[in-house]
Amino acid sequence: MDFTGVPVLVTGASGFVGSAVARALAARGADLRLLVRRDSDRTNTADLRADLIEGDIRDEGSVLRAATGARYLFHVAADYRLWAPDPEDIVRNNRAGTLAVMNAARAAGVERIVYTSSVATLLPDDQGAADETRPATPEQAVGAYKRSKVVAERLVEAMVADGLPVVIVNPSTPIGPRDVKPTPTGRIVVEAANGKMPAFVESGLNLVHVDDVAAGHLLALEKGRIGERYVLGGQDVTLRVMLAEIARIMGRKAPTISIPRALLFPMAHANEAIARLTGGDPFLTVDSLKMAAHNMYYSSAKAEGELGYRARPFPEALADAIAWFRAAGKIT
């Protein structure tokens, strides 16, 4: 699809996935509008040719001002925290933000919307790789973040049934450059690269390069079916293999110690208690340990077949992530 001169609004462009989507659109010549919070880190938008519009996705009025005149909308912004002192804050933020953005898009007459959900809305399949046919209910989701994404995705589906032209994408676990915050997975990459993860739990996840996820967003806009969801994933990898690859890239010895999850719950509770006192983010949480009970493996077959989506091998994504973190001074 030729985006040259086409007005496109992206929410969350100061973040990890949102900035990758914005860059993919900029490379295709889009007339970019980026909705950013007043206090957001502008590192990822500093070198983009775009109209930055300050606002909050929970404020329908500010979203409407940004969306008016836009032909397409990519709603990527979300409260991406696996832990908060009040977990329900995450649910409230993601529900309210999604509702406001979708209402504004309808009012502005946006032609087509791509909504960034997550594989968090899908039930893991302990017998293999989960796909779009395994939607979770809020009650089945582990932790506030996953529950918030289920609630928001079901809200979008209801609005699609009422005529809103939305295609849903479900990224798995993105890694790569421009992970400014960083994300929970980015923190694992940094800690492991700095030699601070000598052990692991037996679990697995699906790793995908953030730029492949961004390309999948554009394919969803062009070829996706309204109301359908598409997993945008990469490769299924055990945590052991992921840490070994990071060690290889860094020229270090791979960790070999496997720790039972049960032994880590007291540490997780302690991490959360300290975070409540300091206002920081705990590296290890109770919910993350509960999630690790399942291999979070996913299939992108539907996106590959219908959209032409492709993802590069996960070692390339890890190498790009490490190179960026090193340049940013996070890996010493």
Side-chain angles (χ1 to χ4, degrees):
M1 179 182 291
D2 184 9
F3 286 95
T4 303
V6 176
V8 182
L9 173 63
V10 180
T11 70
S14 61
F16 184 37
V17 174
S19 68
V21 172
R23 287 170 187 276
L25 287 163
R28 301 274 286 274
D31 178 10
L32 277 180
R33 303 175 182 185
L34 310 179
L35 183 68
V36 294
R37 297 191 316 274
R38 182 181 297 274
D39 60 349
S40 64
D41 185 331
R42 305 296 170 86
T43 302
N44 282 339
T45 59
D47 60 345
L48 278 173
R49 293 187 60 183
D51 182 12
L52 267 61
I53 303 168
E54 290 188 351
D56 190 308
I57 59 169
R58 296 167 297 183
D59 175 14
E60 188 175 324
S62 65
V63 182
L64 180 57
R65 287 192 295 274
T68 299
R71 184 174 178 184
Y72 304 127
L73 164 64
F74 290 84
H75 178 37
V76 190
D79 186 343
Y80 185 22
R81 293 180 292 167
L82 297 185
W83 181 88
D86 178 4
E88 291 308 308
D89 268 352
I90 302 172
V91 181
R92 285 189 291 267
N93 286 341
N94 283 334
R95 186 188 189 284
T98 301
L99 179 61
V101 170
M102 296 300 148
N103 280 338
R106 190 194 298 276
V110 173
E111 181 179 319
R112 198 169 173 90
I113 304 157
V114 175
Y115 167 64
T116 309
S117 184
S118 167
V119 291
T121 68
L122 305 174
L123 290 173
D125 184 351
D126 290 330
Q127 304 306 312
D131 62 17
E132 297 85 352
T133 65
R134 295 177 59 85
T137 65
E139 295 74 24
Q140 292 171 315
V142 176
Y145 173 71
K146 286 194 172 189
R147 187 166 70 255
S148 77
K149 295 302 287 185
V150 172
V151 168
E153 187 179 281
R154 301 296 164 265
L155 175 67
V156 170
E157 289 171 337
M159 298 182 82
V160 168
D162 195 34
L164 196 65
V166 186
V167 179
I168 300 168
V169 293
N170 302 74
S172 59
T173 308
I175 51 175
R178 301 177 301 277
D179 191 357
V180 171
K181 199 168 183 178
T183 60
T185 312
R187 290 180 71 184
I188 292 175
V189 174
V190 170
E191 293 296 306
N194 282 324
K196 295 181 180 179
M197 287 192 66
F200 52 85
V201 296
E202 296 293 346
S203 188
L205 64 170
N206 184 282
L207 297 177
V208 60
H209 197 295
V210 70
D211 290 338
D212 294 334
V213 171
H217 277 68
L218 270 62
L219 287 169
L221 182 80
E222 181 180 3
K223 301 178 181 180
R225 289 181 287 146
I226 298 299
E228 293 291 318
R229 65 172 74 89
Y230 297 90
V231 171
L232 303 179
Q235 288 180 273
D236 295 328
V237 182
T238 64
L239 183 57
R240 180 199 293 256
V241 168
M242 175 185 174
L243 296 180
E245 180 61 21
I246 294 171
R248 186 195 68 78
I249 294 169
M250 297 301 298
R252 289 199 173 95
K253 185 178 178 181
T256 57
I257 302 171
S258 175
I259 301 179
R261 287 186 312 113
L263 296 181
L264 293 175
F265 278 99
M267 186 183 297
H269 283 291
N271 274 210
E272 292 184 10
I274 292 169
R276 287 189 181 92
L277 292 173
T278 63
D281 292 323
F283 180 68
L284 183 67
T285 68
V286 173
D287 283 343
S288 66
L289 285 176
K290 290 178 180 178
M291 293 176 198
H294 304 279
N295 285 330
M296 290 169 279
Y297 294 161
Y298 298 94
S299 169
S300 302
K302 180 178 178 180
E304 291 167 359
E306 293 191 19
L307 309 181
Y309 171 76
R310 297 291 182 270
R312 72 198 77 182
F314 84 92
E316 293 183 26
L318 279 174
D320 282 357
I322 288 170
W324 188 88
F325 283 130
R326 180 179 277 148
K330 297 181 183 295
I331 295 176
T332 56

